[in-house]
Amino acid sequence: MINYHEAQKLIEEQTKPLIAIKLPLMETLGYTLAENIFTKHPIPMFNSSAVDGFAVNVNDLHLPSSKNPVSLKVQAVIQTGDTRKHSLKKNHTFGIMTGAVIPRNVDAIVMKEDVAEIDGTVIFKTLPKVGINIRGRGRELSKGDLVLSSGTIITPPVLGLLASLGHATVKVYRKPKVSVIVTGNELKKFSERVKIGQIRDSNLPSLLAALQSLGIQAEYGMIVKDQKSKIKKAIHKTLRKSDIIITAGGVSVGDYDFVKDVCSSLGIKTVFWRVAIKPGKPLFFGTKCKKLIFGVPGNPVAALLSFYLFIKPTLLRMMGQTEKQNIIQTAVLESDLKKRAGRLEFVRGILIKKPDGKLVVNPTKGQDSHMIGGLANANCLIHFPKEENFISKGSIVKVELMNWVEQ
Ligand code: AMP
Ligand code: MG
């Protein structure tokens, strides 16, 4: 059985960013830039006022003071958006709004709050510095500067910057097409009645939601019975339209666990089956041409953690986010942990910061693989190393923060 890092590496070797596509700007949120963005003109494009106030030529103010204020006549008021060319006459001032173009002969803007206005005349009591309150052309960026690098995630501010640069379309990495197939004769939709012996399917909703949190709407999501022919039909059908298929359940050693057999009958090459981790040991990973197939175990915690630890990083890499990794830090364990040596265990935990700044972690209640409550109430995973069987209270442990809703 391979270990966690070997499994991660084998998956990584099969994963590359998908091709770049051009999308209208407003459809790019959450995608990754597939091009470097350079400025086509200086930013800002023109000198403008940084405040609402009065535009002056400092030479017209002859050292004003509160005892000897200087009055200037208002020549006109310049609104933001005014595209006309204005020129200041001697011993005059313009009323000017934030963002309006600086007229000719103006070298300072005095804030409205610092002057008195009487009948079309403005009284100045202090001498402004040359250049004050003027946003200079090109002060932020010069023409041809690199503003955003390929690989940047398009967040609202990035999108705003692209808009301000006039990018109506943007080159981004395509998002993977993903289908989810959950297997099990016992499964009913969450909206249906269940009899003793049946359970409500939680894997399809939670896996679809996990995809949604990355901005991916699954191509297909289906519940299939534990029958070879039905599983085969489902995988065959979805394979054509997907880059990734996630199956859940039926991948262990039970008499009705058919996923692996079906995969091989469809020409899917097994890269690995079983990883020395808990939960999630029976994880299957296979490929067919460039398509990836993840067979996650059916226990809800194992299914979701397999997604979190292996599938999510894969999706992010395909989306061009090569740098993104889960954050691992250390904390003080507040209760003893026990297990059998041989598998790396991801103990679901609650990490908190004490008032003195110390990070402490406690396992949640319900640590079995079928107890989704223990995962739902956790905010982190405590890494319980493979060869260890006991960690005492007070020890320093590695803790991986879980972030299910993006980022
Ligand atoms: P399996 O991996 O198919 O052997 O299933 C392992 C355990 O997970 C069994 O107790 C199943 O009933 C349960 N299980 C499988 N699929 C789901 C599902 N979609 N939702 C909730 N529990 C499931
Ligand atoms: Mg099953």
mmCIF file of all heavy atoms in Angstrom, residues 120-154:
data_model
loop_
_atom_site.group_PDB
_atom_site.id
_atom_site.type_symbol
_atom_site.label_atom_id
_atom_site.label_comp_id
_atom_site.label_asym_id
_atom_site.label_seq_id
_atom_site.Cartn_x
_atom_site.Cartn_y
_atom_site.Cartn_z
ATOM 1 N N GLY A 120 -19.458 84.049 -5.049
ATOM 2 C CA GLY A 120 -18.599 83.821 -6.225
ATOM 3 C C GLY A 120 -17.141 84.149 -5.995
ATOM 4 O O GLY A 120 -16.348 84.197 -6.950
ATOM 5 N N THR A 121 -16.774 84.363 -4.721
ATOM 6 C CA THR A 121 -15.366 84.615 -4.405
ATOM 7 C C THR A 121 -14.940 83.602 -3.348
ATOM 8 O O THR A 121 -15.733 83.222 -2.487
ATOM 9 C CB THR A 121 -15.200 86.038 -3.821
ATOM 10 O OG1 THR A 121 -15.763 86.938 -4.728
ATOM 11 C CG2 THR A 121 -13.737 86.370 -3.586
ATOM 12 N N VAL A 122 -13.677 83.170 -3.436
ATOM 13 C CA VAL A 122 -13.171 82.201 -2.459
ATOM 14 C C VAL A 122 -12.036 82.857 -1.679
ATOM 15 O O VAL A 122 -11.159 83.498 -2.262
ATOM 16 C CB VAL A 122 -12.676 80.924 -3.182
ATOM 17 C CG1 VAL A 122 -12.170 79.912 -2.167
ATOM 18 C CG2 VAL A 122 -13.800 80.321 -4.010
ATOM 19 N N ILE A 123 -12.077 82.697 -0.362
ATOM 20 C CA ILE A 123 -11.045 83.317 0.487
ATOM 21 C C ILE A 123 -10.093 82.220 0.977
ATOM 22 O O ILE A 123 -10.519 81.256 1.617
ATOM 23 C CB ILE A 123 -11.693 84.057 1.674
ATOM 24 C CG1 ILE A 123 -12.663 85.115 1.130
ATOM 25 C CG2 ILE A 123 -10.631 84.714 2.556
ATOM 26 C CD1 ILE A 123 -13.683 85.580 2.129
ATOM 27 N N PHE A 124 -8.797 82.409 0.637
ATOM 28 C CA PHE A 124 -7.750 81.437 1.006
ATOM 29 C C PHE A 124 -6.939 82.009 2.155
ATOM 30 O O PHE A 124 -6.511 83.151 2.114
ATOM 31 C CB PHE A 124 -6.823 81.177 -0.193
ATOM 32 C CG PHE A 124 -7.535 80.561 -1.372
ATOM 33 C CD1 PHE A 124 -8.206 81.354 -2.310
ATOM 34 C CD2 PHE A 124 -7.538 79.185 -1.544
ATOM 35 C CE1 PHE A 124 -8.858 80.784 -3.388
ATOM 36 C CE2 PHE A 124 -8.189 78.603 -2.632
ATOM 37 C CZ PHE A 124 -8.853 79.410 -3.558
ATOM 38 N N LYS A 125 -6.727 81.147 3.200
ATOM 39 C CA LYS A 125 -5.976 81.638 4.358
ATOM 40 C C LYS A 125 -4.588 81.014 4.466
ATOM 41 O O LYS A 125 -3.761 81.461 5.249
ATOM 42 C CB LYS A 125 -6.763 81.344 5.631
ATOM 43 C CG LYS A 125 -8.039 82.154 5.694
ATOM 44 C CD LYS A 125 -8.835 81.813 6.911
ATOM 45 C CE LYS A 125 -10.136 82.581 6.883
ATOM 46 N NZ LYS A 125 -11.143 81.948 7.713
ATOM 47 N N THR A 126 -4.355 79.951 3.714
ATOM 48 C CA THR A 126 -3.015 79.328 3.759
ATOM 49 C C THR A 126 -2.510 79.140 2.336
ATOM 50 O O THR A 126 -3.294 79.089 1.380
ATOM 51 C CB THR A 126 -3.056 77.941 4.436
ATOM 52 O OG1 THR A 126 -4.083 77.196 3.793
ATOM 53 C CG2 THR A 126 -3.322 78.032 5.914
ATOM 54 N N LEU A 127 -1.170 79.027 2.240
ATOM 55 C CA LEU A 127 -0.549 78.855 0.926
ATOM 56 C C LEU A 127 -0.371 77.354 0.656
ATOM 57 O O LEU A 127 0.367 76.678 1.383
ATOM 58 C CB LEU A 127 0.818 79.552 0.920
ATOM 59 C CG LEU A 127 1.560 79.565 -0.414
ATOM 60 C CD1 LEU A 127 0.845 80.434 -1.442
ATOM 61 C CD2 LEU A 127 2.988 80.064 -0.224
ATOM 62 N N PRO A 128 -1.054 76.831 -0.366
ATOM 63 C CA PRO A 128 -0.882 75.395 -0.641
ATOM 64 C C PRO A 128 0.468 75.108 -1.297
ATOM 65 O O PRO A 128 1.044 75.986 -1.927
ATOM 66 C CB PRO A 128 -2.025 75.091 -1.599
ATOM 67 C CG PRO A 128 -2.315 76.392 -2.278
ATOM 68 C CD PRO A 128 -1.967 77.490 -1.322
ATOM 69 N N LYS A 129 0.905 73.838 -1.109
ATOM 70 C CA LYS A 129 2.150 73.412 -1.770
ATOM 71 C C LYS A 129 1.841 73.107 -3.229
ATOM 72 O O LYS A 129 0.753 72.599 -3.538
ATOM 73 C CB LYS A 129 2.660 72.117 -1.137
ATOM 74 C CG LYS A 129 3.479 72.326 0.090
ATOM 75 C CD LYS A 129 4.219 71.013 0.378
ATOM 76 C CE LYS A 129 4.775 71.052 1.767
ATOM 77 N NZ LYS A 129 4.580 69.802 2.485
ATOM 78 N N VAL A 130 2.796 73.390 -4.110
ATOM 79 C CA VAL A 130 2.621 73.072 -5.534
ATOM 80 C C VAL A 130 2.407 71.553 -5.671
ATOM 81 O O VAL A 130 3.121 70.766 -5.058
ATOM 82 C CB VAL A 130 3.854 73.531 -6.362
ATOM 83 C CG1 VAL A 130 3.790 72.987 -7.784
ATOM 84 C CG2 VAL A 130 3.933 75.054 -6.374
ATOM 85 N N GLY A 131 1.387 71.201 -6.415
ATOM 86 C CA GLY A 131 1.128 69.771 -6.698
ATOM 87 C C GLY A 131 0.170 69.115 -5.708
ATOM 88 O O GLY A 131 -0.229 67.963 -5.897
ATOM 89 N N ILE A 132 -0.223 69.867 -4.659
ATOM 90 C CA ILE A 132 -1.045 69.224 -3.623
ATOM 91 C C ILE A 132 -2.431 68.860 -4.165
ATOM 92 O O ILE A 132 -3.025 69.596 -4.956
ATOM 93 C CB ILE A 132 -1.147 70.135 -2.366
ATOM 94 C CG1 ILE A 132 -1.721 69.344 -1.181
ATOM 95 C CG2 ILE A 132 -2.016 71.358 -2.585
ATOM 96 C CD1 ILE A 132 -0.705 69.007 -0.174
ATOM 97 N N ASN A 133 -2.901 67.693 -3.755
ATOM 98 C CA ASN A 133 -4.224 67.163 -4.136
ATOM 99 C C ASN A 133 -4.401 66.978 -5.645
ATOM 100 O O ASN A 133 -5.521 67.045 -6.152
ATOM 101 C CB ASN A 133 -5.359 68.035 -3.566
ATOM 102 C CG ASN A 133 -5.381 68.004 -2.049
ATOM 103 O OD1 ASN A 133 -5.099 66.964 -1.469
ATOM 104 N ND2 ASN A 133 -5.685 69.130 -1.426
ATOM 105 N N ILE A 134 -3.279 66.765 -6.337
ATOM 106 C CA ILE A 134 -3.375 66.448 -7.778
ATOM 107 C C ILE A 134 -2.903 65.004 -7.973
ATOM 108 O O ILE A 134 -1.813 64.642 -7.543
ATOM 109 C CB ILE A 134 -2.520 67.414 -8.633
ATOM 110 C CG1 ILE A 134 -3.111 68.825 -8.534
ATOM 111 C CG2 ILE A 134 -2.441 66.931 -10.089
ATOM 112 C CD1 ILE A 134 -2.319 69.887 -9.265
ATOM 113 N N ARG A 135 -3.794 64.197 -8.561
ATOM 114 C CA ARG A 135 -3.405 62.824 -8.911
ATOM 115 C C ARG A 135 -2.707 62.886 -10.262
ATOM 116 O O ARG A 135 -3.332 63.197 -11.277
ATOM 117 C CB ARG A 135 -4.633 61.933 -9.075
ATOM 118 C CG ARG A 135 -5.469 61.747 -7.841
ATOM 119 C CD ARG A 135 -6.701 60.976 -8.272
ATOM 120 N NE ARG A 135 -7.622 60.753 -7.192
ATOM 121 C CZ ARG A 135 -8.907 60.491 -7.378
ATOM 122 N NH1 ARG A 135 -9.412 60.457 -8.606
ATOM 123 N NH2 ARG A 135 -9.686 60.271 -6.358
ATOM 124 N N GLY A 136 -1.420 62.605 -10.257
ATOM 125 C CA GLY A 136 -0.635 62.780 -11.485
ATOM 126 C C GLY A 136 -0.820 61.656 -12.479
ATOM 127 O O GLY A 136 -0.948 60.485 -12.092
ATOM 128 N N ARG A 137 -0.855 62.017 -13.752
ATOM 129 C CA ARG A 137 -0.926 61.032 -14.846
ATOM 130 C C ARG A 137 0.232 60.033 -14.699
ATOM 131 O O ARG A 137 1.388 60.429 -14.461
ATOM 132 C CB ARG A 137 -0.800 61.804 -16.170
ATOM 133 C CG ARG A 137 -0.618 60.952 -17.412
ATOM 134 C CD ARG A 137 -0.450 61.883 -18.611
ATOM 135 N NE ARG A 137 0.313 61.267 -19.687
ATOM 136 C CZ ARG A 137 -0.231 60.583 -20.686
ATOM 137 N NH1 ARG A 137 -1.537 60.467 -20.763
ATOM 138 N NH2 ARG A 137 0.525 60.050 -21.620
ATOM 139 N N GLY A 138 -0.094 58.741 -14.796
ATOM 140 C CA GLY A 138 0.939 57.700 -14.760
ATOM 141 C C GLY A 138 1.560 57.481 -13.394
ATOM 142 O O GLY A 138 2.543 56.754 -13.273
ATOM 143 N N ARG A 139 1.011 58.107 -12.346
ATOM 144 C CA ARG A 139 1.634 57.957 -11.018
ATOM 145 C C ARG A 139 1.529 56.515 -10.523
ATOM 146 O O ARG A 139 2.398 56.027 -9.837
ATOM 147 C CB ARG A 139 0.938 58.927 -10.045
ATOM 148 C CG ARG A 139 1.585 59.006 -8.710
ATOM 149 C CD ARG A 139 2.400 60.246 -8.354
ATOM 150 N NE ARG A 139 2.235 61.507 -8.972
ATOM 151 C CZ ARG A 139 1.657 62.579 -8.413
ATOM 152 N NH1 ARG A 139 1.113 62.493 -7.229
ATOM 153 N NH2 ARG A 139 1.639 63.732 -9.035
ATOM 154 N N GLU A 140 0.435 55.828 -10.863
ATOM 155 C CA GLU A 140 0.292 54.440 -10.397
ATOM 156 C C GLU A 140 1.060 53.476 -11.306
ATOM 157 O O GLU A 140 1.845 52.669 -10.823
ATOM 158 C CB GLU A 140 -1.195 54.056 -10.344
ATOM 159 C CG GLU A 140 -1.405 52.726 -9.646
ATOM 160 C CD GLU A 140 -2.871 52.295 -9.568
ATOM 161 O OE1 GLU A 140 -3.768 53.129 -9.819
ATOM 162 O OE2 GLU A 140 -3.112 51.120 -9.268
ATOM 163 N N LEU A 141 0.859 53.589 -12.608
ATOM 164 C CA LEU A 141 1.528 52.680 -13.551
ATOM 165 C C LEU A 141 1.853 53.422 -14.840
ATOM 166 O O LEU A 141 1.075 54.270 -15.295
ATOM 167 C CB LEU A 141 0.599 51.505 -13.891
ATOM 168 C CG LEU A 141 0.287 50.515 -12.756
ATOM 169 C CD1 LEU A 141 -0.929 49.674 -13.112
ATOM 170 C CD2 LEU A 141 1.478 49.621 -12.460
ATOM 171 N N SER A 142 3.011 53.064 -15.408
ATOM 172 C CA SER A 142 3.366 53.648 -16.707
ATOM 173 C C SER A 142 2.842 52.759 -17.816
ATOM 174 O O SER A 142 2.517 51.583 -17.579
ATOM 175 C CB SER A 142 4.882 53.737 -16.857
ATOM 176 O OG SER A 142 5.411 54.411 -15.768
ATOM 177 N N LYS A 143 2.822 53.287 -19.026
ATOM 178 C CA LYS A 143 2.388 52.498 -20.183
ATOM 179 C C LYS A 143 3.319 51.285 -20.346
ATOM 180 O O LYS A 143 4.533 51.425 -20.251
ATOM 181 C CB LYS A 143 2.445 53.380 -21.434
ATOM 182 C CG LYS A 143 1.922 52.696 -22.659
ATOM 183 C CD LYS A 143 1.983 53.597 -23.855
ATOM 184 C CE LYS A 143 1.708 52.770 -25.097
ATOM 185 N NZ LYS A 143 1.851 53.531 -26.319
ATOM 186 N N GLY A 144 2.732 50.097 -20.517
ATOM 187 C CA GLY A 144 3.533 48.891 -20.748
ATOM 188 C C GLY A 144 3.943 48.157 -19.477
ATOM 189 O O GLY A 144 4.584 47.116 -19.542
ATOM 190 N N ASP A 145 3.560 48.668 -18.303
ATOM 191 C CA ASP A 145 3.905 47.975 -17.045
ATOM 192 C C ASP A 145 3.111 46.673 -16.919
ATOM 193 O O ASP A 145 1.970 46.577 -17.356
ATOM 194 C CB ASP A 145 3.537 48.854 -15.835
ATOM 195 C CG ASP A 145 4.612 49.878 -15.520
ATOM 196 O OD1 ASP A 145 5.676 49.830 -16.163
ATOM 197 O OD2 ASP A 145 4.379 50.725 -14.635
ATOM 198 N N LEU A 146 3.738 45.672 -16.255
ATOM 199 C CA LEU A 146 3.033 44.425 -15.946
ATOM 200 C C LEU A 146 2.132 44.677 -14.736
ATOM 201 O O LEU A 146 2.610 45.096 -13.689
ATOM 202 C CB LEU A 146 4.040 43.318 -15.618
ATOM 203 C CG LEU A 146 3.463 41.982 -15.177
ATOM 204 C CD1 LEU A 146 2.728 41.279 -16.309
ATOM 205 C CD2 LEU A 146 4.553 41.073 -14.626
ATOM 206 N N VAL A 147 0.839 44.458 -14.897
ATOM 207 C CA VAL A 147 -0.087 44.717 -13.789
ATOM 208 C C VAL A 147 -0.526 43.429 -13.102
ATOM 209 O O VAL A 147 -0.697 43.384 -11.896
ATOM 210 C CB VAL A 147 -1.389 45.403 -14.257
ATOM 211 C CG1 VAL A 147 -1.867 46.406 -13.258
ATOM 212 C CG2 VAL A 147 -1.304 45.978 -15.629
ATOM 213 N N LEU A 148 -0.767 42.394 -13.891
ATOM 214 C CA LEU A 148 -1.218 41.117 -13.333
ATOM 215 C C LEU A 148 -0.500 39.990 -14.068
ATOM 216 O O LEU A 148 -0.381 40.028 -15.293
ATOM 217 C CB LEU A 148 -2.730 40.949 -13.537
ATOM 218 C CG LEU A 148 -3.659 41.890 -12.759
ATOM 219 C CD1 LEU A 148 -5.070 41.848 -13.351
ATOM 220 C CD2 LEU A 148 -3.691 41.512 -11.284
ATOM 221 N N SER A 149 -0.045 38.985 -13.306
ATOM 222 C CA SER A 149 0.680 37.881 -13.952
ATOM 223 C C SER A 149 -0.260 36.714 -14.194
ATOM 224 O O SER A 149 -1.204 36.492 -13.423
ATOM 225 C CB SER A 149 1.796 37.370 -13.052
ATOM 226 O OG SER A 149 2.520 38.431 -12.540
ATOM 227 N N SER A 150 0.075 35.962 -15.223
ATOM 228 C CA SER A 150 -0.630 34.714 -15.501
ATOM 229 C C SER A 150 -0.577 33.867 -14.230
ATOM 230 O O SER A 150 0.458 33.823 -13.555
ATOM 231 C CB SER A 150 0.089 34.014 -16.649
ATOM 232 O OG SER A 150 -0.518 32.793 -16.921
ATOM 233 N N GLY A 151 -1.685 33.232 -13.878
ATOM 234 C CA GLY A 151 -1.724 32.436 -12.636
ATOM 235 C C GLY A 151 -2.448 33.155 -11.517
ATOM 236 O O GLY A 151 -2.723 32.558 -10.488
ATOM 237 N N THR A 152 -2.761 34.450 -11.732
ATOM 238 C CA THR A 152 -3.495 35.196 -10.701
ATOM 239 C C THR A 152 -4.954 34.740 -10.684
ATOM 240 O O THR A 152 -5.585 34.614 -11.738
ATOM 241 C CB THR A 152 -3.445 36.714 -11.016
ATOM 242 O OG1 THR A 152 -2.081 37.099 -11.095
ATOM 243 C CG2 THR A 152 -4.160 37.536 -9.973
ATOM 244 N N ILE A 153 -5.475 34.526 -9.492
ATOM 245 C CA ILE A 153 -6.889 34.149 -9.380
ATOM 246 C C ILE A 153 -7.740 35.401 -9.543
ATOM 247 O O ILE A 153 -7.429 36.451 -8.970
ATOM 248 C CB ILE A 153 -7.176 33.515 -8.004
ATOM 249 C CG1 ILE A 153 -6.308 32.265 -7.844
ATOM 250 C CG2 ILE A 153 -8.657 33.156 -7.857
ATOM 251 C CD1 ILE A 153 -6.255 31.743 -6.441
ATOM 252 N N ILE A 154 -8.796 35.296 -10.320
ATOM 253 C CA ILE A 154 -9.632 36.479 -10.550
ATOM 254 C C ILE A 154 -10.609 36.644 -9.389
ATOM 255 O O ILE A 154 -11.591 35.937 -9.261
ATOM 256 C CB ILE A 154 -10.317 36.426 -11.929
ATOM 257 C CG1 ILE A 154 -9.209 36.275 -12.997
ATOM 258 C CG2 ILE A 154 -11.157 37.692 -12.163
ATOM 259 C CD1 ILE A 154 -9.656 36.327 -14.404
#
